[in-house]
């Protein structure tokens, strides 16, 4: 397995986990580091020593990092009160996009689009949010890796239309993704997706083969280096669990069903979508059931139908924001389409949760 | 001309389709303003709110805005006084002040 970052990650996370569970303080972590390192050096064979040494070192680094890091309850990426120029710019950009959305769309579609594009959930009607939880599709109401991918795609496409060279396109896209991450509040899923996208793009820049496991590991390390407590944050766990279960499980299910040999294209896409949804559902089913006390078998079907719709709405949302500057006249047309798509999404969701055995509340 | 990939060309085509759909809807609304009600999300409808004269206790399960006890009180009021005619009647229930009423307004509507 040539995935050094994954190994480093496992060691680092294990260190944080042990430090948190056994409430190890900084001197104890330091003392334990020396003890484990010495034991590792004395016990293993010469050939394995270097690997064990590195593993132990990272494990202890994780432990010491958790023990030494200040305990911050709030989102550490947001620093209210520090009115630096960057923060002001981000706030202005966010307010501007909100204003554009509210200008063209009516109440409910505007609130849903704000959640999908900016991660702002405050204005969403409580019943809509509740029904999305029941159908297992509430993740579409937050900014996730999908949105980051969409922003990257739109930016690269726009820069390509402007005939910029490939390297320059990548160099411009990465800071813009970071800006988008900050505009949306830098929650764990967005930071994960931004780091993964940056690693992917950097891979293209350096002509290296991108590897999803290594880029996920880089994202985990980045988030945990900034805030080790995020390891116990549900959003962080669900974000990585869903990505890893899709990456690991989906190819296996696909080859099991011999999907590549299927000739009918629309059916192939439909089954692929269902398998991705099923993989993510399987990976996140237990943490969701444990934390939210809800089990939603309808989530697989709901995600197959609702995620593409949500993707369309998000894409239209970004287009709406961009066309406000390029050609505002066209925005009325986009707004009508968004209103219709939101209506379809809500109707489909309401229908799905009305199906028998759609969801169960656990005691 | 721009040396676009197949996917990028598809995205641009897709944008055109979205604009065309919007144009179609806009034309439909222009010739028949009632069409707007069909394609727009009504903020006071069953897809965004609960009908206060029809909801049951099961509908409130795990809903954050309202406790089961308060939900029961609203149902009891409906059973004893008949269907709600306006949401202001909620204020007559013990435990619902102006603040809570504003929160409940976002949850209920009256089917006309």
């Amino acid at each position: 397995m040539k995935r050094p970052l994954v190994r480093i990650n496992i060691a680092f996370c294990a260190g944080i986990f042990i430090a948190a569970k056994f409430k190890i303080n900084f001197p104890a972590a330091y003392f334990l580091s020396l003890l484990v390192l010495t034991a590792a050096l004395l016990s293993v064979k010469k050939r394995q020593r270097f690997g064990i040494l590195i593993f132990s070192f990272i494990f202890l680094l994780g432990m010491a990092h958790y023990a030494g890091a200040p305990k911050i309850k709030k989102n550490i990426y947001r620093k209210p009160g520090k009115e630096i120029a960057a923060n002001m710019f981000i706030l202005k950009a966010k307010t501007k996009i909100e204003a554009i959305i509210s200008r063209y769309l009516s109440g409910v579609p505007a609130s849903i689009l704000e959640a999908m594009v900016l991660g702002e959930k405050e204005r969403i009607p409580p019943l809509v949010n509740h029904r999305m939880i029941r159908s297992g599709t509430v993740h579409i109401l937050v900014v996730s890796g999908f949105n980051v991918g969409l922003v990257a795609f739109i930016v690269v496409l726009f820069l390509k239309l402007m005939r910029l060279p490939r390297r320059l396109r990548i160099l411009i896209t990465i800071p813009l993704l970071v800006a988008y991450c900050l505009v949306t509040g830098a929650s764990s899923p967005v930071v994960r997706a931004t780091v993964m996208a940056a690693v992917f793009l950097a891979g293209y820049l350096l002509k290296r083969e991108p590897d999803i496991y290594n880029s996920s590991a880089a994202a985990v390390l980045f988030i945990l280096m900034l805030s080790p407590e995020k390891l116990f944050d549900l959003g962080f766990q669900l974000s990585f669990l869903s990505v890893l279960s899709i990456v690991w499980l989906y190819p296996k299910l696909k080859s099991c069903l011999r999907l590549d040999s299927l000739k009918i294209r629309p059916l192939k896409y439909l089954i692929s979508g269902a398998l991705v949804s099923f993989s993510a559902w399987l990976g996140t089913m237990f943490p969701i059931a444990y934390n939210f006390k809800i089990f939603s078998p309808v989530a697989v079907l709901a995600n197959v139908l609702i995620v593409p719709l949500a993707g369309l709405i998000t894409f239209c949302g970004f287009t709406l924001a961009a066309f406000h500057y390029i050609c505002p006249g066209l925005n009325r047309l986009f707004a009508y389409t968004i209103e219709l798509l939101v209506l379809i999404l809500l109707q489909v969701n309401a229908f799905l949760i009305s199906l028998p055995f759609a969801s169960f509340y656990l005691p | 001309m721009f040396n676009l990939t197949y996917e990028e060309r598809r995205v641009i085509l897709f944008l055109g389709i979205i604009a065309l759909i919007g144009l179609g809807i806009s034309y439909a609304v222009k010739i028949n303003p009632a069409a707007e009600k069909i394609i727009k999300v009504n903020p006071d409808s069953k897809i965004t709110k609960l009908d206060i004269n029809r909801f049951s206790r099961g509908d409130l399960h795990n809903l954050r805005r309202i406790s089961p006890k308060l939900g029961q009180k609203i149902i009891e009021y409906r059973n004893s006084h008949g269907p709600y005619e306006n949401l202001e009647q909620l204020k007559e229930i013990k435990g619902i002040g102006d603040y809570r009423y504003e929160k409940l307004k976002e949850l209920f509507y009256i089917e006309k």
Side-chain angles (χ1 to χ4, degrees):
Chain A
M1 189 178 78
K2 286 181 182 174
R3 286 178 180 135
L5 271 178
V6 177
R7 293 180 186 188
I8 290 172
N9 223 331
I10 294 168
F12 196 70
C13 290
I16 291 176
F17 185 78
I18 298 287
K21 286 293 152 200
F22 296 100
K23 292 185 177 124
I24 292 171
N25 57 20
F26 193 72
Y30 186 73
F31 177 71
L32 210 65
S33 326
L34 290 175
L35 204 74
V36 175
L37 267 176
T38 319
L41 281 172
L42 289 175
S43 61
V44 293
K45 287 176 191 167
K46 250 186 184 176
R47 272 174 59 204
Q48 296 168 332
R49 260 183 205 171
F50 186 68
I52 296 283
L53 190 79
I54 296 288
F55 189 90
S56 319
F57 179 70
I58 309 263
F59 169 76
L60 298 163
L61 199 71
M63 213 153 70
H65 181 55
Y66 182 84
K71 303 288 174 281
I72 305 163
K73 293 284 179 205
K74 62 179 181 249
N75 192 344
I76 62 134
Y77 309 105
R78 272 183 172 175
K79 287 179 180 165
K82 279 198 170 184
E83 305 245 324
I84 54 171
N87 269 4
M88 288 303 286
F89 166 74
I90 286 158
L91 198 68
K92 270 184 188 170
K94 190 174 185 173
T95 318
K96 186 74 195 169
I97 298 171
E98 275 176 355
I100 294 170
I101 292 172
S102 304
R103 184 175 166 182
Y104 292 102
L105 297 171
S106 59
V108 178
S111 69
I112 288 176
L113 199 64
E114 271 175 24
M116 286 177 176
V117 173
L118 297 168
E120 206 55 64
K121 278 181 82 174
E122 273 173 27
R123 284 177 55 205
I124 288 187
L127 195 71
V128 170
N129 193 51
H130 177 69
R131 283 179 172 167
M132 292 282 184
I133 292 173
R134 282 184 62 190
S135 65
T137 54
V138 74
H139 62 89
I140 65 156
L141 296 180
V142 291
V143 174
S144 63
F146 172 76
N147 303 52
V148 177
L150 210 57
V151 172
F153 183 77
I154 292 170
V155 171
V156 169
L157 183 69
F158 183 70
L159 297 175
K160 199 170 186 180
L161 286 171
M162 291 179 70
R163 296 184 178 188
L164 290 179
R166 194 178 173 181
R167 278 176 172 259
L168 192 60
R169 288 202 300 260
I170 292 172
L171 285 173
I172 294 173
T173 308
I174 294 174
L176 284 176
L177 288 183
V178 175
Y180 179 66
C181 172
L182 294 171
V183 164
T184 56
S187 59
S188 296
V190 187
V191 177
R192 171 192 60 75
T194 308
V195 175
M196 282 177 75
V199 170
F200 255 75
L201 290 170
Y204 280 120
L205 206 66
L206 302 167
K207 292 180 181 165
R208 298 283 296 268
E209 187 80 21
D211 179 81
I212 192 131
Y213 289 103
N214 264 340
S215 46
S216 299
V220 173
L221 271 180
F222 181 79
I223 294 171
L224 294 182
M225 284 300 268
L226 286 176
S227 170
E229 287 195 348
K230 285 269 173 189
L231 187 65
F232 306 99
D233 175 56
L234 189 64
F236 173 89
Q237 291 166 357
L238 288 177
S239 175
F240 280 99
L241 266 177
S242 54
V243 168
L244 292 178
S245 54
I246 290 170
V247 170
W248 186 74
L249 209 60
Y250 170 66
K252 286 184 171 51
L253 291 171
K254 204 174 147 187
S255 64
C256 226
L257 294 175
R258 293 178 185 168
L259 208 61
D260 289 327
S261 59
L262 200 69
K263 294 280 183 281
I264 311 158
R265 263 192 165 187
L267 188 66
K268 197 173 165 178
Y269 286 136
L270 193 74
I271 297 175
S272 293
L275 289 182
V276 169
S277 169
F278 181 67
S279 311
W281 178 73
L282 220 57
T284 54
M285 181 175 69
F286 291 110
I288 287 176
Y290 178 76
N291 289 287
F292 298 109
K293 308 279 177 223
I294 191 165
F295 177 66
S296 307
V298 81
V300 178
L301 178 64
N303 277 291
V304 172
L305 299 174
I306 287 174
V307 168
L309 265 174
L312 271 178
I313 295 168
T314 315
F315 186 75
C316 292
F318 284 119
T319 315
L320 192 81
F323 270 69
H324 179 75
Y325 297 101
I326 304 166
C327 182
L330 271 178
N331 263 0
R332 289 266 166 238
L333 305 181
F334 287 129
Y336 274 124
T337 314
I338 294 172
E339 296 257 1
L340 183 68
L341 288 172
V342 170
L343 181 72
I344 296 170
L345 185 137
L346 294 176
Q347 296 278 21
V348 168
N349 193 59
F351 167 73
L352 288 170
I353 58 164
S354 69
L355 291 174
F357 311 112
S359 64
F360 306 95
Y361 288 105
L362 304 172
Chain B
M1 182 186 156
F2 290 111
N3 196 20
L4 299 173
T5 62
Y6 176 63
E7 279 79 20
E8 287 159 352
R9 268 181 278 161
R10 279 214 308 204
V11 169
I12 292 169
L13 182 73
F14 174 73
L15 278 178
I17 293 170
I18 289 174
L20 270 177
I21 294 171
L23 192 69
I25 298 168
S26 137
Y27 179 69
V29 170
K30 213 170 199 176
I31 57 168
N32 183 10
E36 198 162 22
K37 281 183 186 170
I38 301 166
I39 63 117
K40 279 198 170 180
V41 181
N42 182 358
D44 288 329
S45 67
K46 64 179 180 181
I47 55 168
T48 54
K49 289 181 179 177
L50 289 171
D51 182 359
I52 198 161
N53 290 322
R54 285 192 189 159
F55 80 95
S56 64
R57 274 188 74 179
D59 295 325
L60 302 176
H61 200 91
N62 270 22
L63 199 61
R64 281 187 192 157
R65 291 278 168 109
I66 184 166
S67 65
K69 203 174 164 185
L70 186 63
Q72 186 58 37
K73 278 185 185 175
I74 296 171
I75 293 171
E76 276 168 14
Y77 183 93
R78 184 176 74 193
N79 293 342
S80 56
H81 293 77
Y84 288 88
E85 282 167 11
N86 58 62
L87 288 179
E88 290 267 331
Q89 282 176 274
L90 282 171
K91 285 185 185 173
E92 292 168 21
I93 298 169
K94 198 181 169 191
I96 300 181
D98 286 341
Y99 177 76
R100 192 165 275 182
Y101 168 71
E102 288 302 320
K103 295 277 171 201
L104 291 174
K105 245 172 48 175
E106 292 172 18
L107 203 59
F108 294 115
Y109 80 108
I110 295 174
E111 179 87 67
K112 282 167 188 167

